[in-house]
Amino acid sequence: MLQCVLAPGQCLGARSGRFNDLEGSAREAAFARLRAFADKLVGRDEALGALVRTACSSRIVTLHGPAGVGKSTLVRAVAQRLTEAGAFPAGVFWASLKGVRHTDAIREAVAQRVPSDSGAALFILDGLEAPVVPALLTQFPELHLLIAAHRPLNITGEQALELPPLSVSDTRRLLVGWARRDFDSEETASLARLLDGNPQAARLTAALLETEPLTALRVRMETQLTALTLHGGTTTPLTIARDLLLERLPEGVRRLLGVLSLFATGAVAEDLEASWGKGWQRAMEVLLRSGLATEDEGRYQLAVALPESPPQALLGPTGVLLALALGHLRSGEVNAAFDLAERALTVARGDQSREGFARALLVLGRITLTEEPARAVLLLEESAGHFSNLGDAAGQAEARRLQGAALGNISEPEAALGALYEAQQLQSFPSLERLFTEVQSFFTDRGGGSLLTALSTDASAIREGGILAARVKLGLPGK
């Protein structure tokens, strides 16, 4: 029986769909979408054939390789090939699990989609990061798994296939195809050699060619790669192309990209309208055209990893509210920022999200740091306590660092130094290291004792005195 794509639905945080029976125009539209994926498979015929054969003969197959090498595109093409062949009687299923780390959610996604008594089925798990495979194979004896991941899972029975880089000629074909322009063949080949055979790097570089001459871009990328190599850097052509594109994005488009990063498995129009506001479609068109985002069945998703992803990126609704709050704070809209952060605190409390609650307190402390420093001191004290209970040293250090600034703003310099010293012990901050060097020099030059020695033995007691001062300023009873 001929099978094809059923429009994916959302299932426990993971996008998933079944390749099932459709009729007429729906069938043609579904296969047209699949063919669109296959059209991008330049230079992948051999890999596609090997992956199809292995998926049929082995229960666990992992396709692995670096970011941007084309794993997701290839497994979608495998889904098309196996669906057309009717290779799995119970169906071929697919789920995007990028950003999904909860094993229960993944098991439930599979359990809801795969019939347990209808013959062999194939489930494609794109971006799997959680150790759930053995349990799934035990629960579904006729289930085959095809997994796209950065590295092999190293489990019993796994057949691991590495997706190699493209050849220079295939990279050049992709580059010219995405750019939709004719270039000098030698120049494009020279640029293609810099891209490490990475299809996503070729896609982003093609977007850069819309506004920059090919030769100038080649020289620029070559210079950056050479400089980073000489200094022991690990930046790849993919990250260089991404960062060059990010530099050129208008502020509104960058803001939409940041919001989109908070939806690990993608966002629908309603999500973006609620979190970004009206007019997001124009900004999204820029992201789609540049290759920084993708759209499939009305769901938008980041196509590349962003540098320094915000800590709130995996906090769901709480994270979206906090990201928007920080955006308003950067724009000087303090009241709007405070209202959004308070809403985030309420949502985190309702969701019983301990990490979200700690992060919301941290953002509230940052917002009130200047105008209500005494309040910020207490908010950040509570935030640091929650981060400590979670074992999050980085979050705890950030809370103490901001608390040090707040204590300074209520004229408690020793307590401020105590909080900053504690932050430095949790996580090294170059700026704080310089500060403590200056403090040490200040006391040494005057022949006195070292305050740093005192801080190392009694930092918490010094800080507690500052917290008491903050409570008094707020009219609260001392503890």
mmCIF file of all heavy atoms in Angstrom, residues 428-463:
data_model
loop_
_atom_site.group_PDB
_atom_site.id
_atom_site.type_symbol
_atom_site.label_atom_id
_atom_site.label_comp_id
_atom_site.label_asym_id
_atom_site.label_seq_id
_atom_site.Cartn_x
_atom_site.Cartn_y
_atom_site.Cartn_z
ATOM 1 N N SER A 428 34.747 31.938 37.783
ATOM 2 C CA SER A 428 35.717 33.008 37.553
ATOM 3 C C SER A 428 35.146 34.078 36.624
ATOM 4 O O SER A 428 34.699 33.784 35.518
ATOM 5 C CB SER A 428 36.995 32.427 36.944
ATOM 6 O OG SER A 428 37.918 33.459 36.664
ATOM 7 N N PHE A 429 35.152 35.322 37.110
ATOM 8 C CA PHE A 429 34.778 36.481 36.298
ATOM 9 C C PHE A 429 36.031 37.337 36.128
ATOM 10 O O PHE A 429 36.572 37.830 37.129
ATOM 11 C CB PHE A 429 33.690 37.318 36.983
ATOM 12 C CG PHE A 429 32.360 36.645 37.116
ATOM 13 C CD1 PHE A 429 32.029 35.964 38.274
ATOM 14 C CD2 PHE A 429 31.432 36.702 36.080
ATOM 15 C CE1 PHE A 429 30.800 35.348 38.411
ATOM 16 C CE2 PHE A 429 30.198 36.089 36.214
ATOM 17 C CZ PHE A 429 29.876 35.402 37.377
ATOM 18 N N PRO A 430 36.529 37.523 34.904
ATOM 19 C CA PRO A 430 37.753 38.324 34.717
ATOM 20 C C PRO A 430 37.676 39.705 35.347
ATOM 21 O O PRO A 430 38.654 40.183 35.936
ATOM 22 C CB PRO A 430 37.880 38.407 33.191
ATOM 23 C CG PRO A 430 37.179 37.179 32.697
ATOM 24 C CD PRO A 430 36.039 36.961 33.640
ATOM 25 N N SER A 431 36.511 40.346 35.253
ATOM 26 C CA SER A 431 36.386 41.701 35.812
ATOM 27 C C SER A 431 36.524 41.668 37.332
ATOM 28 O O SER A 431 37.115 42.575 37.934
ATOM 29 C CB SER A 431 35.036 42.302 35.424
ATOM 30 O OG SER A 431 33.969 41.475 35.874
ATOM 31 N N LEU A 432 36.006 40.626 37.984
ATOM 32 C CA LEU A 432 36.115 40.526 39.439
ATOM 33 C C LEU A 432 37.546 40.203 39.851
ATOM 34 O O LEU A 432 38.023 40.654 40.898
ATOM 35 C CB LEU A 432 35.167 39.450 39.969
ATOM 36 C CG LEU A 432 33.665 39.758 39.854
ATOM 37 C CD1 LEU A 432 32.848 38.673 40.530
ATOM 38 C CD2 LEU A 432 33.340 41.116 40.463
ATOM 39 N N GLU A 433 38.227 39.424 39.030
ATOM 40 C CA GLU A 433 39.628 39.105 39.334
ATOM 41 C C GLU A 433 40.447 40.381 39.370
ATOM 42 O O GLU A 433 41.287 40.574 40.265
ATOM 43 C CB GLU A 433 40.164 38.146 38.272
ATOM 44 C CG GLU A 433 41.520 37.564 38.620
ATOM 45 C CD GLU A 433 41.926 36.470 37.649
ATOM 46 O OE1 GLU A 433 41.042 35.801 37.088
ATOM 47 O OE2 GLU A 433 43.135 36.305 37.464
ATOM 48 N N ARG A 434 40.191 41.270 38.419
ATOM 49 C CA ARG A 434 40.904 42.557 38.411
ATOM 50 C C ARG A 434 40.540 43.380 39.641
ATOM 51 O O ARG A 434 41.393 44.032 40.258
ATOM 52 C CB ARG A 434 40.572 43.335 37.130
ATOM 53 C CG ARG A 434 41.191 42.733 35.873
ATOM 54 C CD ARG A 434 41.086 43.691 34.705
ATOM 55 N NE ARG A 434 39.704 43.962 34.338
ATOM 56 C CZ ARG A 434 39.005 43.231 33.481
ATOM 57 N NH1 ARG A 434 39.561 42.182 32.904
ATOM 58 N NH2 ARG A 434 37.758 43.538 33.188
ATOM 59 N N LEU A 435 39.257 43.335 40.008
ATOM 60 C CA LEU A 435 38.799 44.097 41.171
ATOM 61 C C LEU A 435 39.528 43.647 42.432
ATOM 62 O O LEU A 435 40.024 44.476 43.214
ATOM 63 C CB LEU A 435 37.293 43.922 41.342
ATOM 64 C CG LEU A 435 36.712 44.448 42.668
ATOM 65 C CD1 LEU A 435 36.814 45.964 42.720
ATOM 66 C CD2 LEU A 435 35.266 44.005 42.836
ATOM 67 N N PHE A 436 39.614 42.341 42.642
ATOM 68 C CA PHE A 436 40.237 41.846 43.863
ATOM 69 C C PHE A 436 41.749 42.082 43.873
ATOM 70 O O PHE A 436 42.351 42.264 44.929
ATOM 71 C CB PHE A 436 39.899 40.370 44.074
ATOM 72 C CG PHE A 436 38.462 40.161 44.478
ATOM 73 C CD1 PHE A 436 37.605 39.408 43.700
ATOM 74 C CD2 PHE A 436 37.970 40.752 45.634
ATOM 75 C CE1 PHE A 436 36.285 39.240 44.065
ATOM 76 C CE2 PHE A 436 36.644 40.586 46.003
ATOM 77 C CZ PHE A 436 35.800 39.831 45.221
ATOM 78 N N THR A 437 42.355 42.095 42.707
ATOM 79 C CA THR A 437 43.773 42.455 42.629
ATOM 80 C C THR A 437 43.975 43.890 43.094
ATOM 81 O O THR A 437 44.910 44.206 43.856
ATOM 82 C CB THR A 437 44.290 42.286 41.193
ATOM 83 O OG1 THR A 437 44.147 40.923 40.804
ATOM 84 C CG2 THR A 437 45.757 42.688 41.089
ATOM 85 N N GLU A 438 43.069 44.775 42.653
ATOM 86 C CA GLU A 438 43.162 46.184 43.049
ATOM 87 C C GLU A 438 42.902 46.351 44.544
ATOM 88 O O GLU A 438 43.566 47.135 45.231
ATOM 89 C CB GLU A 438 42.162 47.010 42.244
ATOM 90 C CG GLU A 438 42.505 47.119 40.765
ATOM 91 C CD GLU A 438 41.393 47.776 39.958
ATOM 92 O OE1 GLU A 438 40.440 48.272 40.581
ATOM 93 O OE2 GLU A 438 41.484 47.772 38.718
ATOM 94 N N VAL A 439 41.917 45.591 45.065
ATOM 95 C CA VAL A 439 41.614 45.671 46.504
ATOM 96 C C VAL A 439 42.818 45.205 47.318
ATOM 97 O O VAL A 439 43.208 45.837 48.312
ATOM 98 C CB VAL A 439 40.366 44.813 46.834
ATOM 99 C CG1 VAL A 439 40.185 44.692 48.344
ATOM 100 C CG2 VAL A 439 39.124 45.428 46.218
ATOM 101 N N GLN A 440 43.406 44.089 46.897
ATOM 102 C CA GLN A 440 44.580 43.566 47.607
ATOM 103 C C GLN A 440 45.705 44.594 47.605
ATOM 104 O O GLN A 440 46.345 44.844 48.630
ATOM 105 C CB GLN A 440 45.042 42.269 46.940
ATOM 106 C CG GLN A 440 46.222 41.603 47.639
ATOM 107 C CD GLN A 440 45.837 41.066 49.004
ATOM 108 O OE1 GLN A 440 45.053 40.144 49.112
ATOM 109 N NE2 GLN A 440 46.378 41.678 50.055
ATOM 110 N N SER A 441 45.945 45.202 46.437
ATOM 111 C CA SER A 441 47.014 46.214 46.324
ATOM 112 C C SER A 441 46.724 47.412 47.216
ATOM 113 O O SER A 441 47.627 47.960 47.863
ATOM 114 C CB SER A 441 47.165 46.672 44.875
ATOM 115 O OG SER A 441 47.503 45.587 44.044
ATOM 116 N N PHE A 442 45.476 47.811 47.280
ATOM 117 C CA PHE A 442 45.071 48.971 48.088
ATOM 118 C C PHE A 442 45.439 48.773 49.555
ATOM 119 O O PHE A 442 46.022 49.651 50.190
ATOM 120 C CB PHE A 442 43.564 49.183 47.930
ATOM 121 C CG PHE A 442 43.013 50.314 48.754
ATOM 122 C CD1 PHE A 442 43.089 51.622 48.301
ATOM 123 C CD2 PHE A 442 42.419 50.072 49.984
ATOM 124 C CE1 PHE A 442 42.582 52.663 49.061
ATOM 125 C CE2 PHE A 442 41.914 51.114 50.747
ATOM 126 C CZ PHE A 442 41.999 52.415 50.284
ATOM 127 N N PHE A 443 45.104 47.590 50.085
ATOM 128 C CA PHE A 443 45.384 47.343 51.498
ATOM 129 C C PHE A 443 46.867 47.074 51.750
ATOM 130 O O PHE A 443 47.427 47.495 52.761
ATOM 131 C CB PHE A 443 44.539 46.171 52.017
ATOM 132 C CG PHE A 443 43.126 46.584 52.312
ATOM 133 C CD1 PHE A 443 42.140 46.456 51.351
ATOM 134 C CD2 PHE A 443 42.789 47.118 53.551
ATOM 135 C CE1 PHE A 443 40.841 46.853 51.612
ATOM 136 C CE2 PHE A 443 41.493 47.519 53.818
ATOM 137 C CZ PHE A 443 40.512 47.393 52.843
ATOM 138 N N THR A 444 47.524 46.404 50.845
ATOM 139 C CA THR A 444 48.942 46.103 51.013
ATOM 140 C C THR A 444 49.773 47.383 51.010
ATOM 141 O O THR A 444 50.691 47.555 51.822
ATOM 142 C CB THR A 444 49.429 45.166 49.890
ATOM 143 O OG1 THR A 444 48.658 43.967 49.919
ATOM 144 C CG2 THR A 444 50.899 44.822 50.060
ATOM 145 N N ASP A 445 49.435 48.306 50.103
ATOM 146 C CA ASP A 445 50.182 49.562 49.997
ATOM 147 C C ASP A 445 50.084 50.395 51.269
ATOM 148 O O ASP A 445 50.956 51.202 51.566
ATOM 149 C CB ASP A 445 49.669 50.392 48.813
ATOM 150 C CG ASP A 445 50.022 49.745 47.479
ATOM 151 O OD1 ASP A 445 50.866 48.823 47.477
ATOM 152 O OD2 ASP A 445 49.426 50.134 46.460
ATOM 153 N N ARG A 446 49.001 50.202 52.012
ATOM 154 C CA ARG A 446 48.801 50.988 53.231
ATOM 155 C C ARG A 446 49.259 50.244 54.483
ATOM 156 O O ARG A 446 49.044 50.693 55.605
ATOM 157 C CB ARG A 446 47.321 51.380 53.356
ATOM 158 C CG ARG A 446 46.985 52.531 52.418
ATOM 159 C CD ARG A 446 45.501 52.610 52.089
ATOM 160 N NE ARG A 446 45.239 53.726 51.181
ATOM 161 C CZ ARG A 446 45.547 53.724 49.892
ATOM 162 N NH1 ARG A 446 46.150 52.682 49.360
ATOM 163 N NH2 ARG A 446 45.284 54.773 49.121
ATOM 164 N N GLY A 447 49.885 49.102 54.274
ATOM 165 C CA GLY A 447 50.468 48.388 55.402
ATOM 166 C C GLY A 447 49.450 47.725 56.307
ATOM 167 O O GLY A 447 49.781 47.273 57.403
ATOM 168 N N GLY A 448 48.200 47.680 55.887
ATOM 169 C CA GLY A 448 47.179 47.068 56.729
ATOM 170 C C GLY A 448 46.994 45.595 56.423
ATOM 171 O O GLY A 448 47.697 45.011 55.597
ATOM 172 N N GLY A 449 46.069 44.978 57.127
ATOM 173 C CA GLY A 449 45.763 43.576 56.876
ATOM 174 C C GLY A 449 45.019 43.422 55.565
ATOM 175 O O GLY A 449 44.586 44.399 54.950
ATOM 176 N N SER A 450 44.882 42.208 55.138
ATOM 177 C CA SER A 450 44.228 41.939 53.863
ATOM 178 C C SER A 450 42.741 41.698 54.060
ATOM 179 O O SER A 450 42.337 40.775 54.774
ATOM 180 C CB SER A 450 44.856 40.712 53.210
ATOM 181 O OG SER A 450 44.093 40.324 52.097
ATOM 182 N N LEU A 451 41.914 42.535 53.424
ATOM 183 C CA LEU A 451 40.477 42.309 53.471
ATOM 184 C C LEU A 451 40.122 41.015 52.756
ATOM 185 O O LEU A 451 39.166 40.319 53.121
ATOM 186 C CB LEU A 451 39.741 43.488 52.826
ATOM 187 C CG LEU A 451 38.200 43.384 52.787
ATOM 188 C CD1 LEU A 451 37.633 43.294 54.186
ATOM 189 C CD2 LEU A 451 37.582 44.555 52.044
ATOM 190 N N LEU A 452 40.906 40.669 51.737
ATOM 191 C CA LEU A 452 40.629 39.432 51.003
ATOM 192 C C LEU A 452 40.777 38.213 51.906
ATOM 193 O O LEU A 452 40.041 37.239 51.778
ATOM 194 C CB LEU A 452 41.554 39.312 49.792
ATOM 195 C CG LEU A 452 41.354 40.354 48.695
ATOM 196 C CD1 LEU A 452 42.280 40.059 47.533
ATOM 197 C CD2 LEU A 452 39.909 40.354 48.223
ATOM 198 N N THR A 453 41.729 38.270 52.830
ATOM 199 C CA THR A 453 41.880 37.165 53.784
ATOM 200 C C THR A 453 40.642 37.062 54.660
ATOM 201 O O THR A 453 40.124 35.969 54.929
ATOM 202 C CB THR A 453 43.127 37.380 54.660
ATOM 203 O OG1 THR A 453 44.269 37.477 53.816
ATOM 204 C CG2 THR A 453 43.306 36.236 55.648
ATOM 205 N N ALA A 454 40.143 38.216 55.095
ATOM 206 C CA ALA A 454 38.926 38.222 55.910
ATOM 207 C C ALA A 454 37.747 37.686 55.111
ATOM 208 O O ALA A 454 36.929 36.917 55.615
ATOM 209 C CB ALA A 454 38.637 39.635 56.403
ATOM 210 N N LEU A 455 37.675 38.088 53.830
ATOM 211 C CA LEU A 455 36.566 37.640 52.988
ATOM 212 C C LEU A 455 36.588 36.128 52.818
ATOM 213 O O LEU A 455 35.550 35.468 52.822
ATOM 214 C CB LEU A 455 36.629 38.320 51.623
ATOM 215 C CG LEU A 455 36.298 39.811 51.577
ATOM 216 C CD1 LEU A 455 36.562 40.354 50.185
ATOM 217 C CD2 LEU A 455 34.851 40.057 51.969
ATOM 218 N N SER A 456 37.783 35.575 52.685
ATOM 219 C CA SER A 456 37.882 34.138 52.451
ATOM 220 C C SER A 456 37.438 33.327 53.649
ATOM 221 O O SER A 456 37.024 32.186 53.521
ATOM 222 C CB SER A 456 39.311 33.755 52.081
ATOM 223 O OG SER A 456 40.177 33.973 53.180
ATOM 224 N N THR A 457 37.503 33.920 54.851
ATOM 225 C CA THR A 457 37.110 33.177 56.046
ATOM 226 C C THR A 457 35.712 33.512 56.516
ATOM 227 O O THR A 457 35.096 32.727 57.218
ATOM 228 C CB THR A 457 38.094 33.480 57.192
ATOM 229 O OG1 THR A 457 38.128 34.898 57.432
ATOM 230 C CG2 THR A 457 39.487 32.994 56.836
ATOM 231 N N ASP A 458 35.184 34.680 56.132
ATOM 232 C CA ASP A 458 33.902 35.094 56.700
ATOM 233 C C ASP A 458 33.042 35.843 55.692
ATOM 234 O O ASP A 458 32.353 36.797 56.036
ATOM 235 C CB ASP A 458 34.158 35.989 57.924
ATOM 236 C CG ASP A 458 33.008 35.935 58.914
ATOM 237 O OD1 ASP A 458 32.188 35.005 58.801
ATOM 238 O OD2 ASP A 458 32.924 36.819 59.783
ATOM 239 N N ALA A 459 33.079 35.424 54.425
ATOM 240 C CA ALA A 459 32.329 36.140 53.384
ATOM 241 C C ALA A 459 30.834 36.136 53.664
ATOM 242 O O ALA A 459 30.151 37.154 53.500
ATOM 243 C CB ALA A 459 32.600 35.512 52.022
ATOM 244 N N SER A 460 30.294 34.989 54.095
ATOM 245 C CA SER A 460 28.847 34.911 54.303
ATOM 246 C C SER A 460 28.409 35.824 55.441
ATOM 247 O O SER A 460 27.358 36.464 55.362
ATOM 248 C CB SER A 460 28.430 33.467 54.586
ATOM 249 O OG SER A 460 29.078 32.978 55.736
ATOM 250 N N ALA A 461 29.211 35.912 56.514
ATOM 251 C CA ALA A 461 28.839 36.784 57.640
ATOM 252 C C ALA A 461 28.857 38.250 57.221
ATOM 253 O O ALA A 461 27.985 39.033 57.604
ATOM 254 C CB ALA A 461 29.790 36.554 58.809
ATOM 255 N N ILE A 462 29.876 38.626 56.433
ATOM 256 C CA ILE A 462 29.951 40.005 55.944
ATOM 257 C C ILE A 462 28.730 40.325 55.084
ATOM 258 O O ILE A 462 28.097 41.369 55.219
ATOM 259 C CB ILE A 462 31.248 40.209 55.137
ATOM 260 C CG1 ILE A 462 32.461 40.087 56.054
ATOM 261 C CG2 ILE A 462 31.260 41.565 54.440
ATOM 262 C CD1 ILE A 462 33.786 40.101 55.326
ATOM 263 N N ARG A 463 28.374 39.379 54.221
ATOM 264 C CA ARG A 463 27.222 39.589 53.335
ATOM 265 C C ARG A 463 25.925 39.679 54.134
ATOM 266 O O ARG A 463 25.041 40.469 53.810
ATOM 267 C CB ARG A 463 27.163 38.446 52.307
ATOM 268 C CG ARG A 463 26.041 38.568 51.320
ATOM 269 C CD ARG A 463 26.183 37.551 50.197
ATOM 270 N NE ARG A 463 26.557 36.226 50.660
ATOM 271 C CZ ARG A 463 25.720 35.370 51.258
ATOM 272 N NH1 ARG A 463 24.476 35.733 51.485
ATOM 273 N NH2 ARG A 463 26.135 34.175 51.632
#
